[in-house]
Each structure stands twice: as structure tokens, then as C-alpha cells.
Amino acid sequence: MQTPQPISLDLIFKALADETRRQLLQTLCEGSYSIRDLASPFDISFPAVAKHIGVLERAGLITRKKRGREQICTLNPLTLQEAHRWLGFYESFWNQQLDHLEDYLSLLQK
């Protein structure tokens, strides 16, 4: 049995780079949906939505399970936590830089 490989941040951010995929993830925050239900609000073909689902699944952002003839998609929040953790480092870095700038500007005003 193979151990699962960690998901690449490159795959995660590539998946998040597309507006349609971000909208699909937003919908999945509300619960699990079939691909057909996910596709209904979009003005694109069902196969196009299925391709977007495939990108999200390969990035580890969603899971897909068969239920009868339908495929049900569910958000995988743990993968989003990985991206959030990575971004959090830069948030902390820039907050620290801005604090230093604020201190410096305060000194100049005295």
C-alpha cells in the first residue's frame, strides 16, 4: 500500500487561480453536491465543469465519491489549511515590516 503524497502548493494555487473553481469551492463550503448540481449555475458545459472538478480533486481541495450514478463532491478543508499556513508566513512578514515602518515614521516626526 502506497502512502499518500503531500499535495503540492503549486497544484493548490493553480487550482485556486481560476474563478470558476473558486466559485465551485465556495459552493462546496455549504455542503456536498453532485457534479450536476455544481454545474447548474454555470453557463458552461457539463464536461467543462467536470474538468474543473478534476483540477480541484488533483489539488486535494475536494474529494469525489460515487453514490449510485452520481459523483458527490466534498470540500477538503485540510488542503486549504496548507495554503493558509504558507500565506500566513508572508502575512506575518509584511505585518512586521509595516510595524517597523510605522516605528521609523514615528521617529521622523519627533
Side-chain angles (χ1 to χ4, degrees), residues 12-101:
I12 294 168
F13 286 116
K14 177 185 173 189
L16 294 173
D18 182 83
E19 181 181 355
T20 299
R21 292 191 286 265
R22 290 191 306 271
Q23 289 176 352
L24 289 167
L25 288 175
Q26 187 70 38
T27 300
L28 289 170
C29 285
E30 301 167 9
S32 298
Y33 290 90
S34 70
I35 295 177
R36 186 157 311 284
D37 289 340
L38 286 169
S40 65
F42 294 97
D43 192 26
I44 58 177
S45 68
F46 179 86
V49 171
K51 284 183 180 182
H52 284 297
I53 294 296
V55 171
L56 292 170
E57 186 177 32
R58 280 189 297 284
L61 292 164
I62 66 167
T63 58
R64 188 174 10 178
K65 293 182 182 175
K66 280 198 157 218
R67 185 173 64 194
R69 291 178 45 167
E70 293 184 314
Q71 294 185 39
I72 306 300
C73 299
T74 304
L75 181 69
N76 180 6
L78 296 177
T79 303
L80 287 172
Q81 283 179 338
E82 288 299 315
H84 184 264
R85 190 171 318 154
W86 186 84
L87 290 169
F89 168 80
Y90 291 98
E91 178 183 22
S92 175
F93 170 80
W94 284 110
N95 282 337
Q96 187 177 37
Q97 296 303 311
L98 291 172
D99 288 345
H100 290 317
L101 177 61

